[in-house]
Amino acid sequence: MTASGMTYSHSRLETFESCPLKFKFQYVDKVDIPRRDSVEAFLGSRVHDALEELYRGVLMGKIWSKAEFLKFYESSGKEKHDEIFIVNRQYTIDDYYPPGREGALRLLGALSPL
């Protein structure tokens, strides 16, 4: 901590270098800006949640099929679709699910307890 009471970190210095005004708002003025997940972060979290649920089931003796895994992946978080930030406005969340599904299946194949 410095004499001004502010702690400096690598990420804070990067923020200042990329946008001093963002640094001021975020760390000096402490403006609370609501965050929205990007579609990529949202779907990555869905994959993480599905894998976590899969392994939790394994610990309890329940083995999911691929269909059950995909059903959980595709249904979790549906209530948050309006909160997701998509940069490219020509696409919707539904356009991102198929490639996300393929990635989830690749991870399932690599990490599968089956």
Side-chain angles (χ1 to χ4, degrees):
M1 189 166 303
T2 66
S4 68
M6 182 177 293
T7 302
Y8 292 95
S9 67
H10 181 71
S11 62
R12 286 184 180 207
L13 293 173
E14 276 187 343
T15 301
F16 182 80
E17 284 180 349
S18 67
C19 183
L21 189 57
K22 179 180 178 182
F23 178 88
K24 180 182 182 303
F25 288 156
Q26 190 169 349
Y27 299 112
V28 177
D29 298 340
K30 298 186 191 287
V31 174
D32 186 26
I33 301 169
R35 283 196 48 191
R36 296 189 312 171
D37 281 339
S38 69
V39 66
E40 296 85 0
F42 172 78
L43 291 177
S45 292
R46 301 295 64 79
V47 171
H48 179 271
D49 292 347
L51 287 168
E52 183 177 13
E53 195 64 26
L54 169 77
Y55 280 97
R56 186 174 292 127
V58 168
L59 292 174
M60 302 303 287
K62 167 87 169 97
I63 304 295
W64 278 3
S65 66
K66 282 185 182 179
E68 290 172 308
F69 176 80
L70 287 174
K71 181 179 178 185
F72 186 91
Y73 162 73
E74 291 178 352
S75 64
S76 68
K78 288 275 188 186
E79 70 281 356
K80 295 185 176 189
H81 280 189
D82 292 340
E83 301 170 22
I84 299 167
F85 180 66
I86 300 174
V87 174
N88 193 336
R89 298 273 180 201
Q90 71 179 3
Y91 298 114
T92 69
I93 182 71
D94 294 327
D95 294 313
Y96 286 86
Y97 268 102
R101 184 173 39 251
E102 289 175 29
L105 286 174
R106 278 196 302 277
L107 273 173
L108 179 63
L111 303 173
S112 179
L114 309 177

